[in-house]
Amino acid sequence: MKNCILACLAVVLLSSCAETLTRGQQYAKLYEEKPVSIVIMPPVNQTNSVEAKDFFYTTMYMPLCEKGYYVYSPYLTMEMFQTESAYDSELFLERDIQIFKKVLGADAAMFTIIKSWDRKPITGMLTAGVEYILRSTSTGETLYHREGLISVDTSLYSEGGGLLGFVVNMAATAINTAMTDKVVAGRKCNAFVLSDMPVGKYSPNYGKDQHLEAGKSYIEAVVR
């Protein structure tokens, strides 16, 4: 029985090790194509929060720039998308996107799908569920794909004060959560989920991160 248990544990350990992939393995197509420039597509909003789409659209710029990519300004491309009927990105999720290569010169297009957006003022949690899809404008291949359910903790808890302190903390948390808008939550969600995205040409670590461990394709986390 003891030997059987040890054998089972060994199989489990070997299986878990086998599932660990490097960024070079998980995002092989991204390393092959080496995109330099990225255009951010207007988010696909599947929530009841009408404003989430516009707010979240502007939060993608900095995380991608910090990753070492040339990113087209959302403010400049928004008008073009609206003029060319590309504001509804869901129409391009599965279609040919070479038009963005021809018109803008973009190497890749970043699509985001906002699947959930839940604000709980009392508990101080802002939870966003977002899927990220980076597609090549040359081949149409998916170069990067990850999804996250990220809860932004805006609570202002401090010890002591008894019942009165608890009430005061709860009220302060509710106010802080209300003041923490979609832009702040979006930025934190982007930064966390895109943390394992291979860096681009303008990063000093370009070409040096293939050996790093890749994150899971779906993650849940709480960030402050």
Side-chain angles (χ1 to χ4, degrees):
M1 178 63 72
K2 183 178 180 180
N3 291 334
C4 181
I5 293 174
L6 290 174
C8 290
L9 288 174
V11 171
V12 171
L13 288 173
L14 289 173
S15 299
S16 62
C17 291
E19 292 175 358
T20 301
L21 298 175
T22 65
R23 295 182 187 181
Q25 294 171 321
Q26 185 154 305
Y27 307 120
K29 292 180 180 177
L30 192 150
Y31 285 104
E32 289 173 11
E33 291 207 18
K34 299 179 174 62
V36 176
S37 57
I38 297 176
V39 59
I40 304 169
M41 301 299 294
V44 177
N45 187 12
Q46 297 180 345
T47 74
N48 294 324
S49 178
V50 179
E51 296 179 338
K53 179 171 183 172
D54 291 334
F55 277 109
F56 200 82
Y57 180 54
T58 62
T59 66
M60 288 296 300
Y61 182 77
M62 284 305 298
L64 292 175
C65 285
E66 291 171 351
K67 279 288 180 179
Y69 294 94
Y70 175 81
V71 185
Y72 294 87
S73 170
Y75 296 104
L76 298 179
T77 55
M78 174 65 80
E79 184 175 350
M80 184 201 74
F81 287 141
Q82 292 174 333
T83 302
E84 300 298 327
S85 300
Y87 185 66
D88 296 322
S89 296
E90 50 265 50
L91 300 176
F92 294 89
L93 271 172
E94 304 295 337
R95 288 173 53 183
D96 184 1
I97 57 173
Q98 288 188 7
I99 183 65
F100 302 114
K101 180 76 170 182
K102 296 175 182 177
V103 175
L104 294 172
D107 298 317
M110 175 64 83
F111 292 85
T112 52
I113 305 174
I114 307 174
K115 296 187 173 182
S116 60
W117 197 282
D118 185 32
R119 181 194 295 265
K120 289 185 171 63
I122 301 300
T123 60
M125 286 290 181
L126 289 168
T127 303
V130 185
E131 182 178 3
Y132 301 77
I133 305 170
L134 182 69
R135 289 186 60 203
S136 167
T137 57
S138 298
T139 64
E141 295 279 355
T142 297
L143 307 178
Y144 179 87
H145 177 252
R146 205 177 191 204
E147 184 175 349
L149 183 65
I150 309 301
S151 296
V152 182
D153 186 358
T154 62
S155 61
L156 297 174
Y157 176 77
S158 61
E159 296 183 358
L163 179 60
L164 178 59
F166 173 77
V167 173
V168 171
N169 285 330
M170 187 170 63
T173 292
I175 294 172
N176 189 55
T177 303
M179 293 176 65
T180 304
D181 60 18
K182 298 177 179 66
V183 172
V184 175
R187 285 174 181 164
K188 293 184 178 182
C189 180
N190 292 335
F192 195 91
V193 179
L194 297 177
S195 60
D196 82 327
M197 182 177 177
V199 298
K201 178 181 177 180
Y202 301 106
S203 169
N205 295 318
Y206 179 61
K208 303 175 183 178
D209 57 356
Q210 295 99 322
H211 67 284
L212 297 179
E213 184 177 339
K216 296 180 179 178
S217 58
Y218 177 82
I219 54 171
E220 294 185 11
V222 176
V223 298
R224 291 191 64 90

